[in-house]
Amino acid sequence: MNMVQEIITQFRARFKQEPVVVRSPGRVNLIGEHTDYNEGFVLPAAINKEIYFALAPNNSNTFRVYAHDLQQEAEFDLHQVQRSELSWANYLLGVIAQLQQAGYEVKGFDLVYGGNIPIGAGLSSSAAVECGLAFGLNHVFGYAIPKFDLVKMAQMAEHTYAGVRCGIMDQFASMYGRQQHAVKLDCRSMEFDYYPLDMADYRIVLCDTQVKHSLASSEYNTRRQECEAGVALLQRHYPQVYSLRDVTVAMLEQHQEEFNPVVYRRCSYVVHENIRVEEACRALEQGDLHTFGEKMYASHHGLQHDYEVSCPELDFLVDQTSDMEEVMGARMMGGGFGGCTINLVKLDALEAFTRNMEEAYKLRFGINLKTYVAEIVDGTSLVQA
């Protein structure tokens, strides 16, 4: 029995009624890393690693939930929604709280949910949970909330109940994904465009280092401060500069002497990465995956040397692919200091690629590499049960 059927069967057995079924995908970011909080561009896509939700009203004031993957259940009074000791429940409760704060009545409902998004691999399982529940409740209770408002509620649920100050990319990509397309999001205006990603002969392969260095959260905050310092310096010369999004390479170079060298490298990376996203999108329009792959490698080089958020494990995995004809592009993905590399690999070489990478990584680090093959799919939607 596949996972969707398991969740529906579990729902029927527990709650003795027929559910509405929703699927909500995780995401990859093809290029555009650490640009979101600098009001720049990102290029994510929704992938076929998904969370499934079976839900239905229960004519009470109680929210009853069963987490299929964890085999845990819980009940909550909808008149007293607050953060829970159960960390997994907070992603759900946060969404309910956002709906209530926006003036929508959330009546009692039953939920069974679970999925196949690997936890901790940087594929945004939390965003998929938030978007899936927001979408499901919007449908079941007929709120008619616009899709983008659901995305913002999902993001705020993560800020307030999960305690993670995430950008909007993860929730946006989960909700707005389109099959065989990447979506370029302008993190300032929130305008977006779809770009065709013809993956008939290719697959996205994620290589999970299985490491997470403790630097990740402290260095993330430091990078934000370094970017803000660069903006403050340039504002003295260019009053129109509000974020690194407004900065050109020429501006940076003209005032390089005034910069702390580290801050200069940070800003230079972000300015060039925004340019790379635009160039990568043009390559997709022309069906040129070769150029697209080159931009991925250039992105990694910048993350490694200028932004300095990579680590030996990530660098090793990217370096391994540089002489492989079957790999069009590779780079680290996400905040850094661990997590996954994202690789564009020819379909007919998938098995050899996976085997070679696993062997090399084990030999070098003594760690079993995990790999995930992903296809690009539509964003959050109803499933016909």
Side-chain angles (χ1 to χ4, degrees):
M1 195 182 339
N2 68 25
M3 176 163 279
V4 189
Q5 288 310 127
E6 276 181 43
I7 285 168
I8 293 168
T9 302
Q10 179 76 246
F11 185 93
R12 287 172 179 152
R14 282 180 167 270
F15 301 121
K16 311 294 186 256
Q17 58 170 332
E18 285 301 307
V20 165
V21 183
V22 171
R23 53 162 279 284
S24 194
R27 66 97 191 98
V28 292
N29 188 27
L30 293 155
I31 192 168
E33 215 64 76
H34 289 279
T35 47
D36 56 350
Y37 54 83
N38 289 298
E39 298 192 338
F41 301 112
V42 291
L43 190 70
I47 58 168
N48 63 337
K49 305 292 179 204
E50 294 154 320
I51 308 278
Y52 296 97
F53 302 77
L55 71 161
N58 63 18
N59 301 314
S60 75
N61 293 315
T62 305
F63 162 40
R64 300 186 295 185
V65 55
Y66 180 71
H68 177 268
D69 303 335
L70 301 170
Q71 299 185 330
Q72 291 183 24
E73 59 187 332
E75 280 194 19
F76 301 95
D77 179 352
L78 290 169
H79 291 324
Q80 295 179 316
V81 173
Q82 56 195 14
R83 287 185 68 173
S84 164
E85 297 292 297
L86 293 170
S87 59
W88 60 266
N90 282 326
Y91 298 99
L92 304 165
L93 293 167
V95 171
I96 294 168
Q98 285 299 311
L99 287 163
Q100 290 177 333
Q101 283 168 28
Y104 296 97
E105 185 188 3
V106 182
K107 295 175 182 167
F109 69 99
D110 297 328
L111 171 68
V112 175
Y113 78 106
N116 58 10
I117 303 178
I119 305 298
L123 302 182
S124 297
S125 54
S126 58
V129 169
E130 293 146 2
C131 289
L133 184 63
F135 186 96
L137 293 176
N138 192 39
H139 177 79
V140 165
F141 293 121
Y143 299 137
I145 300 170
K147 204 157 140 183
F148 192 72
D149 290 349
L150 293 176
V151 168
K152 288 191 285 192
M153 286 180 180
Q155 181 197 17
M156 287 309 296
E158 183 123 359
H159 285 197
T160 53
Y161 272 60
V164 178
R165 302 275 309 164
C166 59
I168 205 163
M169 175 178 74
D170 299 348
Q171 289 81 4
F172 180 88
S174 184
M175 194 76 84
Y176 277 88
R178 181 182 288 180
Q179 191 170 6
Q180 301 302 25
H181 286 75
V183 54
K184 176 188 163 199
L185 174 64
D186 178 334
C187 294
R188 169 176 280 174
S189 69
M190 293 298 147
E191 291 173 358
F192 60 94
D193 292 295
Y194 291 102
Y195 289 84
L197 195 55
D198 180 6
M199 299 294 281
D201 300 326
Y202 297 90
R203 286 293 177 270
I204 289 168
V205 183
L206 302 157
C207 293
D208 187 349
T209 61
Q210 302 283 292
V211 300
K212 196 69 188 165
H213 295 285
S214 57
L215 287 165
S217 52
S218 62
E219 289 292 318
Y220 175 83
N221 291 332
T222 303
R223 292 299 172 280
R224 292 191 75 141
Q225 289 158 5
E226 288 163 343
C227 291
E228 286 161 9
V231 170
L233 188 155
L234 288 170
Q235 268 177 339
R236 297 206 295 270
H237 303 284
Y238 308 98
Q240 74 273 27
V241 167
Y242 288 98
S243 71
L244 288 178
R245 165 66 176 279
D246 302 314
V247 175
T248 63
V249 176
M251 285 178 192
L252 274 178
E253 288 174 350
Q254 192 170 344
H255 298 281
Q256 182 170 358
E257 314 263 295
E258 300 164 49
F259 273 87
N260 168 303
V262 171
V263 170
Y264 183 82
R265 290 205 308 276
R266 304 297 189 252
C267 295
S268 177
Y269 162 75
V270 174
V271 172
H272 281 98
E273 184 78 344
N274 277 322
I275 295 167
R276 279 191 286 269
V277 176
E278 305 233 65
E279 291 171 342
C281 288
R282 282 198 288 278
L284 289 184
E285 283 182 313
Q286 292 156 7
D288 180 0
L289 281 185
H290 179 75
T291 297
F292 188 89
E294 286 179 346
K295 300 301 169 192
M296 290 176 73
Y297 280 120
S299 172
H300 184 81
H301 187 269
L303 288 159
Q304 179 182 356
H305 297 287
D306 292 336
Y307 219 62
E308 295 184 277
V309 289
S310 190
C311 64
E313 295 88 350
L314 289 167
D315 296 337
F316 176 81
L317 289 173
V318 172
D319 289 345
Q320 279 296 111
T321 68
S322 58
D323 295 327
M324 294 182 177
E325 283 184 7
E326 66 269 27
V327 181
M328 302 306 288
R331 67 177 197 88
M332 60 154 274
M333 185 182 80
F337 306 105
C340 288
T341 63
I342 177 170
N343 305 265
L344 272 186
V345 184
K346 288 181 180 167
L347 181 58
D348 56 13
L350 269 186
E351 279 183 36
F353 169 79
T354 305
R355 188 174 59 249
N356 290 338
M357 294 297 277
E358 285 172 353
E359 286 172 2
Y361 193 69
K362 178 79 179 200
L363 196 64
R364 174 71 178 78
F365 293 103
I367 299 172
N368 291 322
L369 184 71
K370 278 192 181 173
T371 57
Y372 311 106
V373 179
E375 295 178 32
I376 295 176
V377 299
D378 286 330
T380 308
S381 65
L382 292 176
V383 175
Q384 301 313 317

